[in-house]
Amino acid sequence: MKIQNELNAMYAFVERSFDLVRRYITWEIVFVFYNIVNALTIGLIGTTIKNQEQRAEMILYLVIGALFWGFMSVIFEEVSNSITWERWEGTIEYTFMAPIRRITHLTGMCLFAILYGLARTAIVLVAVASFFDFSLQKANLIGALLVLAVASPAFIGLGLIAAVLPLLSPERGAQATHIIQGIILLVSGVYYDVSVLPAWLQPLAYLSPGTYALQAVRKAILDGAAITSLWPDLLALIGIGMILIPLGLFVFSTAEKYAMRTGKLKRNG
């Protein structure tokens, strides 16, 4: 019965988050439209290549980066901004005082982030596929989906750590989460190979889960690589996720206790 109560509470957080999406549906339409235009704009860069075969490969290379980053950034944003949303809605104190486990609350938010990210990415994919003429005949789509599944926990862990910032600083925390997101975008090779980064930045690239995820998903789609060939990147993602999820929960729990002790939950910025 207790487990059922926790599952119901988890579902309630997912449902509440989708209710917020419906409440701000016009903004959601704007965000999705921007994601579609961004993916198309990035993909059109590949059309400047004269060689037809190389052009098709480059367009797909860039579109993969845009789609994958769109999915992972949604997961990161929804988890890291969950506290910001609570402040905006004026529910942060009620949520933190509710008689549920914090892990239930956070798991519900993470589950929503994954479902919402999949929905937005699917919409963008349909729009992009109707615009560009590229072939996925040799693509290992199952392998690509496996990469998305394995990479998600690592980005959730990053989001949990970043969510601490709005909790500790109502004035500047949300801005800091976007700085972290920008750094991940820069060093992960979303639109280029990480080898082109300055030497002093390249070590950061190999700390980012995005680097391994993009390498693996491009191997699966561009080269049709079998799942066995993706294992080095998948193992790296699993390892990063196993570190970041417990670390994120610990950091969030510690920050929550500090915020409640110092009265930061009451502040709205």
Side-chain angles (χ1 to χ4, degrees):
M1 187 66 179
K2 189 174 181 180
I3 295 177
Q4 183 63 43
N5 290 338
E6 294 296 323
L7 291 175
N8 290 338
M10 189 186 306
Y11 172 78
F13 279 108
V14 176
E15 185 178 30
R16 186 188 69 164
S17 297
F18 277 111
D19 286 340
L20 286 174
V21 171
R22 286 193 291 270
R23 179 186 299 180
Y24 299 105
I25 190 63
T26 51
W27 275 114
E28 297 301 329
I29 293 172
V30 171
F31 294 148
V32 172
F33 176 78
Y34 178 83
N35 285 347
I36 292 172
V37 172
N38 180 69
L40 293 177
T41 304
I42 295 298
L44 284 170
I45 295 174
T47 62
T48 59
I49 297 177
K50 302 299 182 183
N51 183 283
Q52 186 173 355
E53 184 176 346
Q54 292 179 346
R55 182 195 308 144
E57 184 173 343
M58 178 55 69
I59 290 174
L60 191 53
Y61 181 94
L62 294 170
V63 167
I64 289 170
L67 289 172
F68 182 85
W69 176 248
F71 175 71
M72 289 303 164
S73 64
V74 166
I75 291 180
F76 178 84
E77 287 175 4
E78 292 300 325
V79 175
S80 64
N81 289 332
S82 58
I83 299 302
T84 304
W85 275 107
E86 296 281 0
R87 289 193 189 279
W88 285 344
E89 293 296 314
T91 58
I92 187 168
E93 289 182 283
Y94 304 108
T95 299
F96 277 74
M97 292 172 62
I100 57 169
R101 298 175 183 272
R102 186 61 53 227
I103 185 66
T104 302
H105 167 215
L106 295 176
T107 302
M109 297 305 300
C110 293
L111 181 58
F112 161 75
I114 293 173
L115 295 174
Y116 179 62
L118 286 172
R120 273 180 54 167
T121 303
I123 294 172
V124 177
L125 175 60
V126 170
V128 171
S130 65
F131 195 90
F132 293 113
D133 182 23
F134 46 71
S135 174
L136 296 177
Q137 290 182 350
K138 68 176 183 178
N140 180 3
L141 296 179
I142 294 177
L145 290 174
L146 178 62
V147 174
L148 290 180
V150 173
S152 295
F155 278 87
I156 287 172
L158 284 174
L160 289 173
I161 295 172
V164 167
L165 300 173
L167 187 64
L168 298 180
S169 176
E171 297 87 355
R172 293 176 292 274
Q175 295 91 322
T177 62
H178 289 289
I179 292 175
I180 294 174
Q181 186 179 6
I183 293 173
I184 297 171
L185 171 63
L186 174 65
V187 304
S188 297
V190 176
Y191 304 119
Y192 43 78
D193 192 272
V194 295
S195 61
V196 305
L197 291 170
W200 60 274
L201 263 182
Q202 290 189 22
L204 287 179
Y206 295 102
L207 294 176
S208 168
T211 302
Y212 302 101
L214 282 162
Q215 287 179 172
V217 80
R218 282 180 171 136
K219 289 176 186 175
I221 294 179
L222 293 176
D223 304 327
I227 293 176
T228 52
S229 301
L230 305 178
W231 269 115
D233 293 315
L234 292 175
L235 288 175
L237 289 169
I238 292 171
I240 293 173
M242 291 177 65
I243 293 172
L244 290 181
I245 290 289
L247 178 61
L249 292 172
F250 172 75
V251 170
F252 192 96
S253 176
T254 303
E256 177 189 352
K257 293 175 183 176
Y258 173 79
M260 296 180 73
R261 187 173 67 251
T262 57
K264 290 183 179 292
L265 290 184
K266 183 68 176 176
R267 294 167 58 194
N268 292 318

